[in-house]
Amino acid sequence: MTSHSESASELSATESRVTLRGAADLADALPYLLGYHPDDSVVLIALHGPSGRVGGRVRADIPSDPGAWDETADQMAARLIDGGAMPGPRPDAAIVFICHEPPDGVSAREAMDRHRPLAQRLRTACGALDVPVFEAIFLAARRYWSYCCVDERCCGAEGKELPPAGTSPMAAAAAYAGLRVRGSLRGMGRRLRPLGEPVAARQTQAFNTVAEELLPRMLGEESNGRVARGETLRLAERLLSRFRRAAATRESDDEVADAMDDALITSEESARLVIGLQDRKARDMVAEWMEGAEGAAALRLWRALSRRCVGEFAEYAVPPLTLAAWVSWSLGDEAPARVALGRALDLDGHYLFARLLHQGCSDGVDPESLRRFLRRQRAARGR
């Protein structure tokens, strides 16, 4: 039997340290460890040393097909333990989290039981690499269950409620350290989702018209390509200025704020800039907009362009998605960067810029080295 009160893990946040005791504290801490609430996710957390200091983290979507659970477990364990999920020593133990909100008609307890084989497979995969799983927790409907505890007095059939939001030791430590939980994984993904009707029909028509005129020039003689690139950069600069001027009207609600941004750009402008950014040199130049107020406005612009890539033009979103990820990472907001990179790589798994950024995020690389390179590149052009 696992006694939840006998073991503890430690999390350092700047100068503060909080001790997490048992499944309740661990479950409550997960959004702070990731920076967001994971939806339909499997998460592995590395532990180091006798106190169980929290280390690297690996997250994956729960495969809808249980036949893929074995492969997912093996890949996640290898990534956490041998693949360098975060620089530092090999972990001494791990924690498994499975987060899933069941559909209508399915109870949280039924969902927990259904995912028990996945939890066991993750424990086996980590154990095969000589890293024992300290705890395996299922989270749903603000309740948690431990897969490691078999004592009904400790872990009843209906699970246990999480502490009220903002009342736990972890919440207090996070507030003191300035750590934020940036909503849910699903919510961050919604900010990048293609727009629906009636905008989608107008946008598709604009893409068809602009592509017929612009693509032949981009793909033709080098001189024509340079002219088209110059047009793309001038349009991008005009839109960036427009987004910066509109910054004072920003709303705190993401959905409202995104709708306001969508209204700042026309279908034709969106089509011209999205198609123009398929040119790698143009994309690299606008990647220099990565810091301060300029970076914040650029991030809004790239997200708005990503939402304009509708229907048959969905793959055109890869450059603006990757730019959104880069600016988010550069501004210190890694969670939405990972979401944008995940969508970009889903659309084009070979897109080099997205792959390099994904590797950098995963390896804990400081983005400052890339910022320095882009600053030098910008200064060399005298801009």
Side-chain angles (χ1 to χ4, degrees):
M1 181 186 73
T2 300
S3 176
H4 293 165
S5 62
E6 292 178 355
S7 301
S9 298
E10 293 183 353
L11 171 68
S12 294
T14 62
E15 299 300 321
S16 64
R17 184 181 296 272
V18 60
T19 300
L20 307 176
R21 299 188 179 277
D25 285 352
L26 291 169
D28 179 72
L30 182 59
Y32 299 99
L33 296 174
L34 297 176
Y36 56 88
H37 293 278
D39 304 298
D40 295 319
S41 297
V42 186
V43 182
L44 283 179
I45 306 287
L47 301 178
H48 299 274
S51 65
R53 177 176 52 83
V54 171
R57 295 126 232 196
V58 175
R59 190 210 70 85
D61 294 337
I62 299 175
S64 57
D65 178 11
W69 288 358
D70 285 359
E71 181 180 4
T72 297
D74 290 339
Q75 290 177 349
M76 292 187 68
R79 177 77 185 117
L80 183 76
I81 296 163
D82 293 331
M86 186 173 287
R90 178 183 172 87
D92 298 299
I95 305 172
V96 170
F97 293 93
I98 298 177
C99 310
H100 175 70
E101 294 299 325
D104 292 341
V106 178
S107 70
R109 171 58 193 258
E110 289 171 330
M112 184 274 289
D113 284 335
R114 179 178 183 272
H115 290 86
R116 188 182 297 275
L118 175 57
Q120 184 57 39
R121 189 63 185 80
L122 287 158
R123 296 173 69 184
T124 302
C126 290
L129 296 174
D130 296 323
V131 174
V133 169
F134 163 74
E135 181 62 276
I137 297 171
F138 181 83
L139 285 162
R142 294 290 301 170
R143 305 186 74 82
Y144 68 91
W145 288 257
S146 169
Y147 286 115
C148 296
C149 183
V150 296
D151 188 347
E152 287 290 331
R153 294 170 299 176
C154 179
C155 299
E158 299 308 314
K160 287 190 173 182
E161 288 190 39
L162 289 171
T167 64
S168 68
M170 185 65 225
Y176 177 79
L179 299 177
R180 293 185 300 162
V181 176
R182 294 297 309 274
S184 69
L185 187 65
R186 189 177 294 116
M188 286 186 284
R190 276 197 298 268
R191 306 195 73 180
L192 306 171
R193 189 175 301 163
L195 296 173
E197 299 297 353
V199 177
R202 297 195 300 268
Q203 189 62 60
T204 299
Q205 182 177 359
F207 269 125
N208 285 322
T209 301
V210 171
E212 185 176 354
E213 179 261 317
L214 186 56
L215 282 176
R217 292 198 288 131
M218 292 175 60
L219 301 175
E221 296 181 3
E222 178 59 27
S223 58
N224 289 334
R226 286 196 299 270
V227 171
R229 185 178 304 133
E231 293 172 356
T232 295
L233 294 173
R234 287 191 292 274
L235 174 59
E237 288 168 351
R238 289 199 303 272
L239 293 177
L240 180 70
S241 296
R242 188 184 302 168
F243 273 67
R244 290 190 69 170
R245 290 194 302 271
T249 65
R250 296 283 290 156
E251 296 283 339
S252 58
D253 181 86
D254 287 343
E255 186 174 352
V256 174
D258 290 344
M260 294 173 67
D261 284 345
D262 292 334
L264 292 175
I265 185 169
T266 68
S267 297
E268 182 180 353
E269 289 171 332
S270 301
R272 286 192 174 278
L273 189 48
V274 166
I275 292 174
L277 290 175
Q278 307 306 305
D279 175 70
R280 182 181 58 81
K281 292 182 180 179
R283 180 210 66 196
D284 289 350
M285 290 180 186
V286 299
E288 297 165 2
W289 304 338
M290 59 192 174
E291 298 176 284
E294 183 179 62
L299 175 58
R300 292 163 48 213
L301 174 57
W302 307 143
R303 283 175 174 160
L305 289 179
S306 299
R307 294 191 292 271
R308 292 283 183 153
C309 296
V310 300
E312 63 191 278
F313 296 96
E315 290 189 6
Y316 281 57
V318 175
L321 283 167
T322 306
L323 287 166
W326 158 237
V327 179
S328 290
W329 187 32
S330 178
L331 293 174
D333 212 353
E334 189 172 311
R338 289 178 177 274
V339 172
L341 286 172
R343 175 154 174 76
L345 291 171
D346 283 344
L347 292 168
D348 183 356
H350 299 289
Y351 196 68
L352 184 58
F353 190 22
R355 292 177 64 184
L356 291 174
L357 291 178
H358 186 268
Q359 186 66 47
C361 283
S362 298
D363 290 347
V365 174
D366 188 342
E368 177 58 22
S369 58
L370 181 53
R371 283 196 295 260
R372 283 197 298 266
F373 171 78
L374 291 173
R375 290 188 201 111
R376 289 194 300 267
Q377 178 175 278
R378 190 175 193 176
R381 296 200 315 277
R383 298 177 69 88

